Amino acid sequence: MKVLILGSGGREHALAWAVKRSQRVTEVVCAPGNGGIAQVARCVPVDLKDVAAMVRLAEVEQPSLTIVGPELPLSLGVVDAFRERGYRIFGPTRDAARLESSKAFAKQFMKRHQIPTANYAVCTSPKEVEESIKHFHAPIVVKADGLAAGKGVIICPTRHFAVETAQGLFNGELLGSVEHQVVIEEFLEGEELSFLCLTDGLHVAPLVPAQDHKRIGEGDTGPNTGGMGVYSTSQMLEPTMTEWILHHIAEPTVRGMAEEGMPFTGVLYCGLMMTARGPEVLEYNARFGDPETQAILVRLESDLVDALEACIDGRLAETEMQWSSSASACVVTSSSGYPGSYKTGLPISGLSNAAKVPEVEIFHSGTTRVANQLVTSGGRVLGATASGDSLEEALTRAYEALSQIHFEGMYYRHDIGHRALKQERR
Ligand code: AMP
Ligand code: GLY
């Protein structure tokens, strides 16, 4: 099999690494890929905003299977376009991907199907926001309706600030693009959990759970990022809680989408808040998480390609994934300045020493090769992903690997998984 992966981050590097381990796969192509992915796949250029360009790439490459990494091509309908032309592709259609690409749609969908989520109002004008906001206590969460690369959620300490924020979303001052709908939401407290499932549109198979660290600063401070580190253990979710989430959140979501005529196949990523009243959905994503995928896939013992193909063919009920009972962690390093502006083109050294640390994979997010030198090319640069018998062992290995790597201004959080570590030691 020849497998095409669309995307260019750490998630796609981990996907390429896992796909390559499948006995059925003879070639992995990644578009556009990055400097690290080029070590496991043939990288070819493509514009992920251009569905026609991705179709042309499929016509040239003739992949047996295509896997879509990021949300943008899904929201533009790459899956619809590939399917129409008979190319096998893993991911939801444009309509199904609205669970991620429209927060207003997602909230209204959850209400229709009694899926637990924060109380909310969908507003189409600043005036409506002023009216609705009277029913909310501060802090209030204000969300842009559309895709905003992690910048569309603003936690507002006062009602006044929430109204101003919503105005900034409507008039385009905040994100640079004008929003036609804004979601006002109750602020939820608790631990966050990334609960990802594969689905064939009918059946649901959970992946192992993970916890992301979204803030740039240690102790969960500072602005939100794409994700600075993640861990995954068997202990982080009791089997009864997994069952509860499946029965009350993941399965009703997949059933509801099918009933509404837009069956969802692919990865359903439920971003949950584990609140005092139980798990509630913060957001859906229609794709694998980054960096969750890195920590999740190093724990997968069965064949990823078999599982993804079962989703496409509606055979997920017959497929069983095998997971290692070990722990894993991925610690991301970023460029100085991220998530604000940062320099690129900085040489990266020490990768071969890092690779010598046992049970470690270095998945690249923003790297490229210039004249045989690997250099930085993004905000998140790479993630050291490690396994261990315990979370402590996995984290020790990830940090040991990172200590070997160097580039100017290299930053990473030193407290990934620390809350869970304290529990592990108890
Ligand atoms: P989202 O893109 O909707 O997942 O939001 C990004 C991040 O904002 C989440 O991972 C949470 O940390 C935070 N967030 C979103 N919605 C809420 C909420 N209702 N209450 C508290 N935090 C939230
Ligand atoms: N790690 C968060 C995301 O993939 O959206």
Side-chain angles (χ1 to χ4, degrees):
M1 279 180 76
K2 178 179 187 174
V3 178
L4 170 64
I5 297 171
L6 297 174
S8 64
R11 162 184 54 209
E12 288 76 17
H13 193 173
L15 284 167
W17 171 85
V19 162
K20 202 163 180 178
R21 298 197 320 168
S22 168
Q23 303 226 321
R24 295 162 55 211
V25 172
T26 45
E27 191 183 2
V28 187
V29 180
C30 188
N34 66 36
I37 297 175
Q39 292 159 6
V40 290
R42 179 162 56 82
C43 293
V44 293
V46 82
D47 181 356
L48 296 173
K49 296 188 293 298
D50 185 347
V51 172
M54 290 179 273
V55 167
R56 280 197 300 278
L57 179 64
E59 281 162 358
V60 173
E61 294 288 347
Q62 296 291 327
S64 331
L65 168 69
T66 299
I67 305 169
V68 190
E71 59 276 23
L72 184 64
L74 294 171
S75 72
L76 297 174
V78 72
V79 169
D80 311 59
F82 272 50
R83 280 195 196 162
E84 273 162 29
R85 291 163 181 83
Y87 294 111
R88 288 166 69 73
I89 184 163
F90 176 82
T93 59
R94 176 171 45 195
D95 281 349
R98 285 170 71 208
L99 279 182
E100 174 165 7
S101 64
S102 169
K103 290 201 191 286
F105 171 80
K107 294 297 287 191
Q108 287 158 342
F109 172 86
M110 285 186 265
K111 189 166 187 187
R112 286 197 291 279
H113 297 277
Q114 291 98 45
I115 294 164
T117 189
N119 287 321
Y120 73 98
V122 175
C123 302
T124 53
S125 69
K127 185 137 189 58
E128 260 187 74
V129 172
E130 275 179 50
E131 275 304 307
S132 303
I133 226 145
K134 293 178 189 154
H135 307 288
F136 290 83
H137 286 287
I140 297 168
V141 186
V142 176
K143 298 184 172 183
D145 177 51
L147 294 179
K151 298 196 180 76
V153 175
I154 304 103
I155 295 170
C156 304
T158 63
R159 284 198 182 123
H160 178 71
F161 189 77
V163 171
E164 281 191 344
T165 301
Q167 263 158 2
L169 291 173
F170 281 122
N171 66 25
E173 267 169 32
L174 261 182
L175 293 179
S177 56
V178 171
E179 287 292 323
H180 301 288
Q181 297 192 97
V182 165
V183 177
I184 309 293
E185 206 173 278
E186 168 199 16
F187 179 77
L188 298 179
E189 274 174 285
E191 293 245 353
E192 282 186 49
L193 184 79
S194 301
F195 190 88
L196 283 71
C197 308
L198 296 186
T199 172
D200 59 7
L202 190 61
H203 300 99
V204 174
L207 310 182
V208 288
Q211 191 176 49
D212 191 8
H213 298 59
K214 290 220 168 99
R215 306 291 201 92
I216 187 74
E218 283 171 19
D220 295 322
T221 53
N224 260 342
T225 68
M228 293 304 293
V230 69
Y231 73 93
S232 172
T233 69
S234 307
Q235 293 76 33
M236 64 198 288
L237 203 56
E238 299 276 331
T240 49
M241 188 55 103
T242 303
E243 286 301 311
W244 195 95
I245 296 169
L246 280 171
H247 291 325
H248 293 88
I249 294 176
E251 287 165 0
T253 302
V254 169
R255 206 165 44 234
M257 290 299 282
E259 279 167 14
E260 294 194 15
M262 41 194 155
F264 186 105
T265 59
V267 180
L268 178 70
Y269 168 148
C270 303
L272 305 179
M273 188 70 97
M274 308 302 274
T275 75
R277 28 176 216 236
E280 302 202 4
V281 178
L282 285 175
E283 63 161 347
Y284 290 115
N285 292 315
R287 51 168 176 81
F288 283 105
D290 188 341
E292 285 90 340
T293 304
Q294 293 87 310
I296 288 172
L297 289 184
V298 296
R299 292 188 57 198
L300 179 65
E301 289 177 340
S302 52
D303 191 311
L304 177 65
V305 173
D306 284 348
L308 302 189
E309 288 218 298
C311 293
I312 296 176
D313 296 332
R315 292 184 284 104
L316 194 58
E318 303 152 31
T319 308
E320 207 165 311
M321 282 180 283
Q322 306 290 331
W323 300 97
S324 97
S325 57
S326 64
S328 64
C330 171
V331 182
V332 173
T333 70
S334 58
S335 303
S336 176
Y338 174 79
S341 57
Y342 49 83
K343 280 202 264 182
T344 57
L346 304 169
I348 305 168
S349 61
L351 285 168
S352 50
N353 283 342
K356 288 184 194 142
V357 180
E359 305 288 323
V360 168
E361 300 294 333
I362 308 292
F363 294 126
H364 295 220
S365 306
T367 73
T368 187
R369 203 164 274 282
V370 176
N372 227 18
Q373 167 69 51
L374 202 69
V375 300
T376 64
S377 64
R380 290 190 290 177
V381 175
L382 52 85
T385 307
S387 309
D389 290 336
S390 63
L391 178 59
E392 185 159 22
E393 191 175 42
L395 285 166
T396 303
R397 286 174 173 155
Y399 281 113
E400 191 185 330
L402 282 185
S403 73
Q404 305 294 321
I405 299 174
H406 181 77
F407 56 87
E408 189 192 309
M410 173 174 169
Y411 169 82
Y412 55 89
R413 278 181 61 166
H414 292 79
D415 64 344
I416 301 303
H418 271 211
R419 267 199 311 267
L421 259 195
K422 277 195 206 132
Q423 283 164 8
E424 192 174 83
R425 290 201 188 109
R426 257 192 236 138

